[in-house]
Amino acid sequence: MAEHVEKAAPQELDPEDAKIVTLARSSRARNGAAEGAAVRDTDGRTYAATTVALPSLQITALQAAVAAAVSSGAEGLEAAAVVTDADALDHASIAAAHDLTKNTPVIRANARGEAQGLIAD
């Protein structure tokens, strides 16, 4: 199991990365979920999702966003963002993004949409 090291987030996000943070933030707020996530595929399409916590199905927001991208035919990811109150992202979330594209940058943001960390290994 590879360890993912979070680095400090850049002071200012690229406008395209800021868009996926906004999508993740609005999805989380709309559903009242623990986490919201969004990904941008290599064609520039975006997919957003929230944490799924059903008795028979539990997946993280990032896993759900990656699943939405894959089921829509995405072949790779350019970037991912997760809005969460957690101090770190779990391995399963990062692994899902990296299963599709190794080293996909993953931004961790707070509920205000402020980037808190970046995983780009």
PDB file of all heavy atoms in Angstrom, residues 4 6 9-11 22 25 31 34 37 39 42-43 52 55 63 66-67 76 83 86 89 95-97 109 112:
ATOM      1  N   HIS A   4       0.547   8.167   0.744  1.00  0.00           N
ATOM      2  CA  HIS A   4       0.320   9.415   0.030  1.00  0.00           C
ATOM      3  C   HIS A   4       0.639  10.560   0.974  1.00  0.00           C
ATOM      4  O   HIS A   4       0.058  10.665   2.048  1.00  0.00           O
ATOM      5  CB  HIS A   4      -1.120   9.506  -0.455  1.00  0.00           C
ATOM      6  CG  HIS A   4      -1.519   8.333  -1.287  1.00  0.00           C
ATOM      7  ND1 HIS A   4      -1.088   8.159  -2.580  1.00  0.00           N
ATOM      8  CD2 HIS A   4      -2.280   7.259  -1.012  1.00  0.00           C
ATOM      9  CE1 HIS A   4      -1.583   7.050  -3.065  1.00  0.00           C
ATOM     10  NE2 HIS A   4      -2.301   6.473  -2.130  1.00  0.00           N
ATOM     11  N   GLU A   6       0.626  14.422   1.914  1.00  0.00           N
ATOM     12  CA  GLU A   6      -0.037  15.685   1.618  1.00  0.00           C
ATOM     13  C   GLU A   6       0.942  16.826   1.811  1.00  0.00           C
ATOM     14  O   GLU A   6       1.644  16.893   2.813  1.00  0.00           O
ATOM     15  CB  GLU A   6      -1.259  15.861   2.520  1.00  0.00           C
ATOM     16  CG  GLU A   6      -2.044  17.111   2.185  1.00  0.00           C
ATOM     17  CD  GLU A   6      -3.310  17.229   2.992  1.00  0.00           C
ATOM     18  OE1 GLU A   6      -4.273  16.509   2.669  1.00  0.00           O
ATOM     19  OE2 GLU A   6      -3.324  18.036   3.939  1.00  0.00           O
ATOM     20  N   ALA A   9      -1.094  23.308   0.285  1.00  0.00           N
ATOM     21  CA  ALA A   9      -1.823  23.717  -0.918  1.00  0.00           C
ATOM     22  C   ALA A   9      -1.236  25.019  -1.442  1.00  0.00           C
ATOM     23  O   ALA A   9      -0.717  25.827  -0.671  1.00  0.00           O
ATOM     24  CB  ALA A   9      -3.295  23.906  -0.593  1.00  0.00           C
ATOM     25  N   PRO A  10      -1.315  25.231  -2.744  1.00  0.00           N
ATOM     26  CA  PRO A  10      -0.828  26.501  -3.282  1.00  0.00           C
ATOM     27  C   PRO A  10      -1.660  27.667  -2.742  1.00  0.00           C
ATOM     28  O   PRO A  10      -2.834  27.491  -2.398  1.00  0.00           O
ATOM     29  CB  PRO A  10      -1.010  26.352  -4.799  1.00  0.00           C
ATOM     30  CG  PRO A  10      -1.944  25.214  -4.988  1.00  0.00           C
ATOM     31  CD  PRO A  10      -1.869  24.365  -3.771  1.00  0.00           C
ATOM     32  N   GLN A  11      -1.062  28.833  -2.660  1.00  0.00           N
ATOM     33  CA  GLN A  11      -1.769  30.019  -2.162  1.00  0.00           C
ATOM     34  C   GLN A  11      -3.023  30.297  -2.987  1.00  0.00           C
ATOM     35  O   GLN A  11      -4.054  30.657  -2.451  1.00  0.00           O
ATOM     36  CB  GLN A  11      -0.840  31.241  -2.210  1.00  0.00           C
ATOM     37  CG  GLN A  11       0.274  31.206  -1.208  1.00  0.00           C
ATOM     38  CD  GLN A  11      -0.218  31.466   0.200  1.00  0.00           C
ATOM     39  OE1 GLN A  11      -1.250  32.088   0.398  1.00  0.00           O
ATOM     40  NE2 GLN A  11       0.513  30.973   1.182  1.00  0.00           N
ATOM     41  N   THR A  22     -15.305  24.193  -6.017  1.00  0.00           N
ATOM     42  CA  THR A  22     -16.647  24.763  -5.890  1.00  0.00           C
ATOM     43  C   THR A  22     -17.718  23.701  -6.127  1.00  0.00           C
ATOM     44  O   THR A  22     -18.722  23.640  -5.394  1.00  0.00           O
ATOM     45  CB  THR A  22     -16.831  25.939  -6.870  1.00  0.00           C
ATOM     46  OG1 THR A  22     -15.870  26.946  -6.548  1.00  0.00           O
ATOM     47  CG2 THR A  22     -18.224  26.521  -6.803  1.00  0.00           C
ATOM     48  N   ARG A  25     -17.802  21.453  -3.084  1.00  0.00           N
ATOM     49  CA  ARG A  25     -18.387  22.189  -1.957  1.00  0.00           C
ATOM     50  C   ARG A  25     -19.908  22.270  -2.090  1.00  0.00           C
ATOM     51  O   ARG A  25     -20.638  22.036  -1.125  1.00  0.00           O
ATOM     52  CB  ARG A  25     -17.776  23.588  -1.911  1.00  0.00           C
ATOM     53  CG  ARG A  25     -18.221  24.411  -0.756  1.00  0.00           C
ATOM     54  CD  ARG A  25     -17.480  25.745  -0.762  1.00  0.00           C
ATOM     55  NE  ARG A  25     -17.930  26.530   0.349  1.00  0.00           N
ATOM     56  CZ  ARG A  25     -18.257  27.803   0.261  1.00  0.00           C
ATOM     57  NH1 ARG A  25     -18.167  28.452  -0.882  1.00  0.00           N
ATOM     58  NH2 ARG A  25     -18.658  28.455   1.322  1.00  0.00           N
ATOM     59  N   ASN A  31     -26.360  18.081  -0.249  1.00  0.00           N
ATOM     60  CA  ASN A  31     -26.759  16.792   0.323  1.00  0.00           C
ATOM     61  C   ASN A  31     -26.554  16.703   1.829  1.00  0.00           C
ATOM     62  O   ASN A  31     -26.938  15.709   2.443  1.00  0.00           O
ATOM     63  CB  ASN A  31     -25.990  15.656  -0.355  1.00  0.00           C
ATOM     64  CG  ASN A  31     -26.404  15.469  -1.784  1.00  0.00           C
ATOM     65  OD1 ASN A  31     -27.441  15.969  -2.217  1.00  0.00           O
ATOM     66  ND2 ASN A  31     -25.604  14.744  -2.542  1.00  0.00           N
ATOM     67  N   ALA A  34     -21.017  14.237   4.629  1.00  0.00           N
ATOM     68  CA  ALA A  34     -19.743  14.397   5.335  1.00  0.00           C
ATOM     69  C   ALA A  34     -18.666  14.964   4.414  1.00  0.00           C
ATOM     70  O   ALA A  34     -17.837  15.769   4.835  1.00  0.00           O
ATOM     71  CB  ALA A  34     -19.292  13.057   5.908  1.00  0.00           C
ATOM     72  N   ALA A  37     -16.997  15.715  -3.339  1.00  0.00           N
ATOM     73  CA  ALA A  37     -15.809  15.587  -4.190  1.00  0.00           C
ATOM     74  C   ALA A  37     -16.179  15.884  -5.632  1.00  0.00           C
ATOM     75  O   ALA A  37     -17.345  15.764  -6.032  1.00  0.00           O
ATOM     76  CB  ALA A  37     -15.229  14.181  -4.092  1.00  0.00           C
ATOM     77  N   VAL A  39     -14.183  15.596  -9.725  1.00  0.00           N
ATOM     78  CA  VAL A  39     -13.008  15.267 -10.542  1.00  0.00           C
ATOM     79  C   VAL A  39     -13.187  15.887 -11.924  1.00  0.00           C
ATOM     80  O   VAL A  39     -14.303  16.141 -12.364  1.00  0.00           O
ATOM     81  CB  VAL A  39     -12.798  13.736 -10.677  1.00  0.00           C
ATOM     82  CG1 VAL A  39     -12.535  13.106  -9.317  1.00  0.00           C
ATOM     83  CG2 VAL A  39     -13.972  13.063 -11.353  1.00  0.00           C
ATOM     84  N   THR A  42      -9.727  13.877 -18.442  1.00  0.00           N
ATOM     85  CA  THR A  42      -8.758  14.368 -19.420  1.00  0.00           C
ATOM     86  C   THR A  42      -9.409  15.045 -20.619  1.00  0.00           C
ATOM     87  O   THR A  42      -8.722  15.670 -21.423  1.00  0.00           O
ATOM     88  CB  THR A  42      -7.836  13.225 -19.902  1.00  0.00           C
ATOM     89  OG1 THR A  42      -8.648  12.142 -20.353  1.00  0.00           O
ATOM     90  CG2 THR A  42      -6.923  12.757 -18.785  1.00  0.00           C
ATOM     91  N   ASP A  43     -10.747  14.954 -20.727  1.00  0.00           N
ATOM     92  CA  ASP A  43     -11.481  15.679 -21.765  1.00  0.00           C
ATOM     93  C   ASP A  43     -12.067  16.977 -21.233  1.00  0.00           C
ATOM     94  O   ASP A  43     -12.780  17.683 -21.944  1.00  0.00           O
ATOM     95  CB  ASP A  43     -12.606  14.808 -22.341  1.00  0.00           C
ATOM     96  CG  ASP A  43     -12.082  13.644 -23.158  1.00  0.00           C
ATOM     97  OD1 ASP A  43     -11.005  13.779 -23.775  1.00  0.00           O
ATOM     98  OD2 ASP A  43     -12.750  12.588 -23.169  1.00  0.00           O
ATOM     99  N   VAL A  52     -21.486   8.296   0.265  1.00  0.00           N
ATOM    100  CA  VAL A  52     -22.653   7.413   0.249  1.00  0.00           C
ATOM    101  C   VAL A  52     -22.547   6.522   1.480  1.00  0.00           C
ATOM    102  O   VAL A  52     -21.558   5.812   1.646  1.00  0.00           O
ATOM    103  CB  VAL A  52     -22.695   6.557  -1.039  1.00  0.00           C
ATOM    104  CG1 VAL A  52     -23.854   5.569  -0.996  1.00  0.00           C
ATOM    105  CG2 VAL A  52     -22.766   7.453  -2.273  1.00  0.00           C
ATOM    106  N   PRO A  55     -26.950   1.229   4.270  1.00  0.00           N
ATOM    107  CA  PRO A  55     -26.656  -0.037   4.957  1.00  0.00           C
ATOM    108  C   PRO A  55     -25.879  -1.027   4.086  1.00  0.00           C
ATOM    109  O   PRO A  55     -25.003  -1.734   4.579  1.00  0.00           O
ATOM    110  CB  PRO A  55     -28.046  -0.581   5.309  1.00  0.00           C
ATOM    111  CG  PRO A  55     -28.908   0.630   5.404  1.00  0.00           C
ATOM    112  CD  PRO A  55     -28.366   1.581   4.356  1.00  0.00           C
ATOM    113  N   GLN A  63     -14.440   8.366  -4.159  1.00  0.00           N
ATOM    114  CA  GLN A  63     -14.711   7.096  -4.842  1.00  0.00           C
ATOM    115  C   GLN A  63     -15.962   7.223  -5.716  1.00  0.00           C
ATOM    116  O   GLN A  63     -15.990   6.736  -6.844  1.00  0.00           O
ATOM    117  CB  GLN A  63     -14.900   5.971  -3.831  1.00  0.00           C
ATOM    118  CG  GLN A  63     -13.628   5.532  -3.154  1.00  0.00           C
ATOM    119  CD  GLN A  63     -13.901   4.541  -2.025  1.00  0.00           C
ATOM    120  OE1 GLN A  63     -14.886   4.659  -1.294  1.00  0.00           O
ATOM    121  NE2 GLN A  63     -13.015   3.565  -1.889  1.00  0.00           N
ATOM    122  N   VAL A  66     -15.166   9.344  -8.831  1.00  0.00           N
ATOM    123  CA  VAL A  66     -14.373   8.552  -9.772  1.00  0.00           C
ATOM    124  C   VAL A  66     -15.267   7.530 -10.467  1.00  0.00           C
ATOM    125  O   VAL A  66     -15.186   7.348 -11.686  1.00  0.00           O
ATOM    126  CB  VAL A  66     -13.176   7.865  -9.074  1.00  0.00           C
ATOM    127  CG1 VAL A  66     -12.504   6.847  -9.982  1.00  0.00           C
ATOM    128  CG2 VAL A  66     -12.166   8.915  -8.614  1.00  0.00           C
ATOM    129  N   ALA A  67     -16.152   6.882  -9.718  1.00  0.00           N
ATOM    130  CA  ALA A  67     -17.075   5.907 -10.314  1.00  0.00           C
ATOM    131  C   ALA A  67     -17.968   6.571 -11.357  1.00  0.00           C
ATOM    132  O   ALA A  67     -18.214   5.999 -12.428  1.00  0.00           O
ATOM    133  CB  ALA A  67     -17.916   5.251  -9.226  1.00  0.00           C
ATOM    134  N   GLY A  76      -9.170   8.956 -18.017  1.00  0.00           N
ATOM    135  CA  GLY A  76      -8.129   9.490 -17.153  1.00  0.00           C
ATOM    136  C   GLY A  76      -8.624  10.726 -16.427  1.00  0.00           C
ATOM    137  O   GLY A  76      -9.647  11.302 -16.796  1.00  0.00           O
ATOM    138  N   VAL A  83     -13.933  18.184  -0.457  1.00  0.00           N
ATOM    139  CA  VAL A  83     -14.262  19.147   0.594  1.00  0.00           C
ATOM    140  C   VAL A  83     -14.675  18.339   1.811  1.00  0.00           C
ATOM    141  O   VAL A  83     -15.593  17.523   1.747  1.00  0.00           O
ATOM    142  CB  VAL A  83     -15.380  20.109   0.143  1.00  0.00           C
ATOM    143  CG1 VAL A  83     -15.823  20.993   1.296  1.00  0.00           C
ATOM    144  CG2 VAL A  83     -14.899  20.961  -1.031  1.00  0.00           C
ATOM    145  N   ALA A  86     -12.237  16.762   7.659  1.00  0.00           N
ATOM    146  CA  ALA A  86     -11.129  15.918   8.114  1.00  0.00           C
ATOM    147  C   ALA A  86      -9.788  16.608   7.886  1.00  0.00           C
ATOM    148  O   ALA A  86      -9.629  17.421   6.974  1.00  0.00           O
ATOM    149  CB  ALA A  86     -11.161  14.580   7.384  1.00  0.00           C
ATOM    150  N   LEU A  89      -7.066  13.008   3.991  1.00  0.00           N
ATOM    151  CA  LEU A  89      -7.920  12.151   3.165  1.00  0.00           C
ATOM    152  C   LEU A  89      -7.537  10.697   3.397  1.00  0.00           C
ATOM    153  O   LEU A  89      -6.368  10.381   3.620  1.00  0.00           O
ATOM    154  CB  LEU A  89      -7.759  12.501   1.687  1.00  0.00           C
ATOM    155  CG  LEU A  89      -8.163  13.921   1.308  1.00  0.00           C
ATOM    156  CD1 LEU A  89      -7.902  14.169  -0.162  1.00  0.00           C
ATOM    157  CD2 LEU A  89      -9.618  14.176   1.648  1.00  0.00           C
ATOM    158  N   ALA A  95      -6.600   6.341  -3.535  1.00  0.00           N
ATOM    159  CA  ALA A  95      -6.342   5.173  -4.389  1.00  0.00           C
ATOM    160  C   ALA A  95      -7.321   5.114  -5.554  1.00  0.00           C
ATOM    161  O   ALA A  95      -6.936   4.758  -6.671  1.00  0.00           O
ATOM    162  CB  ALA A  95      -6.410   3.894  -3.564  1.00  0.00           C
ATOM    163  N   ALA A  96      -8.581   5.473  -5.316  1.00  0.00           N
ATOM    164  CA  ALA A  96      -9.576   5.447  -6.400  1.00  0.00           C
ATOM    165  C   ALA A  96      -9.175   6.404  -7.519  1.00  0.00           C
ATOM    166  O   ALA A  96      -9.234   6.045  -8.705  1.00  0.00           O
ATOM    167  CB  ALA A  96     -10.950   5.810  -5.859  1.00  0.00           C
ATOM    168  N   ALA A  97      -8.765   7.604  -7.167  1.00  0.00           N
ATOM    169  CA  ALA A  97      -8.333   8.569  -8.184  1.00  0.00           C
ATOM    170  C   ALA A  97      -7.083   8.076  -8.893  1.00  0.00           C
ATOM    171  O   ALA A  97      -6.969   8.162 -10.118  1.00  0.00           O
ATOM    172  CB  ALA A  97      -8.084   9.933  -7.554  1.00  0.00           C
ATOM    173  N   ALA A 109      -9.913  20.464   0.617  1.00  0.00           N
ATOM    174  CA  ALA A 109     -10.391  21.806   0.961  1.00  0.00           C
ATOM    175  C   ALA A 109     -11.347  21.737   2.147  1.00  0.00           C
ATOM    176  O   ALA A 109     -11.949  20.695   2.416  1.00  0.00           O
ATOM    177  CB  ALA A 109     -11.085  22.438  -0.236  1.00  0.00           C
ATOM    178  N   ARG A 112     -15.347  26.045   3.607  1.00  0.00           N
ATOM    179  CA  ARG A 112     -15.367  27.367   2.971  1.00  0.00           C
ATOM    180  C   ARG A 112     -14.773  27.334   1.567  1.00  0.00           C
ATOM    181  O   ARG A 112     -14.731  28.341   0.888  1.00  0.00           O
ATOM    182  CB  ARG A 112     -14.620  28.375   3.845  1.00  0.00           C
ATOM    183  CG  ARG A 112     -15.330  28.658   5.170  1.00  0.00           C
ATOM    184  CD  ARG A 112     -14.605  29.689   6.024  1.00  0.00           C
ATOM    185  NE  ARG A 112     -13.222  29.336   6.338  1.00  0.00           N
ATOM    186  CZ  ARG A 112     -12.837  28.503   7.312  1.00  0.00           C
ATOM    187  NH1 ARG A 112     -13.741  27.938   8.072  1.00  0.00           N
ATOM    188  NH2 ARG A 112     -11.568  28.263   7.532  1.00  0.00           N
TER     189      ARG A 112
END
